[in-house]
Amino acid sequence: MTKSQISRSFMILIVSILFSIPSVVKAQTFSIVPQTASINVHGTSNVHDWNMKPTKVTGELGLNSTKQISAITIKVEVKSLKSGNGIMDGKTYDAFDYKKNPYIVFQLTDASQAKLTENDTEVTLTGNLSFAGATRKISIKAIGKITKSGEYQLKGTVPLKMTDFKMSPPTAMLGTMKTGDAVTVKFDVTFKG
């Protein structure tokens, strides 16, 4: 091969790479907007219902070139869960064994999506949820949409049982107050590119 043929082959290779880059670049990564993230954990006890909200939430969402969800990671700091009742918060942190398990983490493994309207998409997010030292595969039904400002909003509800994660529901007052095993997590989070 002559020097000019090598140069020409190299140029064709470079041009081919440059033309293939736009399809790769179309994939987008968005980061969670913590100030607007609304996550509410609702549960019951033999005394009263309760709610907790985290104040420290991070995460990323990836969209492929066809604007379909391809990746999600959400991380909640356990000690940021607040109920407005310091005793309950402390019992909750102990139930999580927060020193060994400081985070609640959801990692997407699969997403299926179907259009509901021009703007809204029904998504089923399957992935691994880890907390209190245990990991379990769960499926979450949610509604996703790209907003007019180009952000991605995701909202839905997840029913969970603490014992599915080998977590003992917290108790107080020498065991006379017992929380229920079932909790419901409602979320409305926005991811910004």
Side-chain angles (χ1 to χ4, degrees), residues 147-158:
T147 66
K148 290 179 182 174
S149 58
E151 298 170 337
Y152 195 94
Q153 182 183 21
L154 193 62
K155 59 183 172 178
T157 302
V158 187

Side-chain angles (χ1 to χ4, degrees), residues 135-161:
T135 299
R136 189 166 186 257
K137 185 168 271 197
I138 66 165
S139 287
I140 302 168
K141 297 239 185 243
I143 302 295
K145 72 176 177 182
I146 297 174
T147 66
K148 290 179 182 174
S149 58
E151 298 170 337
Y152 195 94
Q153 182 183 21
L154 193 62
K155 59 183 172 178
T157 302
V158 187
L160 298 170
K161 285 188 176 179

Side-chain angles (χ1 to χ4, degrees), residues 17-36:
I17 290 171
L18 289 175
F19 277 114
S20 68
I21 286 175
S23 64
V24 173
V25 171
K26 287 182 185 175
Q28 293 177 284
T29 300
F30 297 78
S31 293
I32 206 163
V33 181
Q35 305 89 313
T36 61

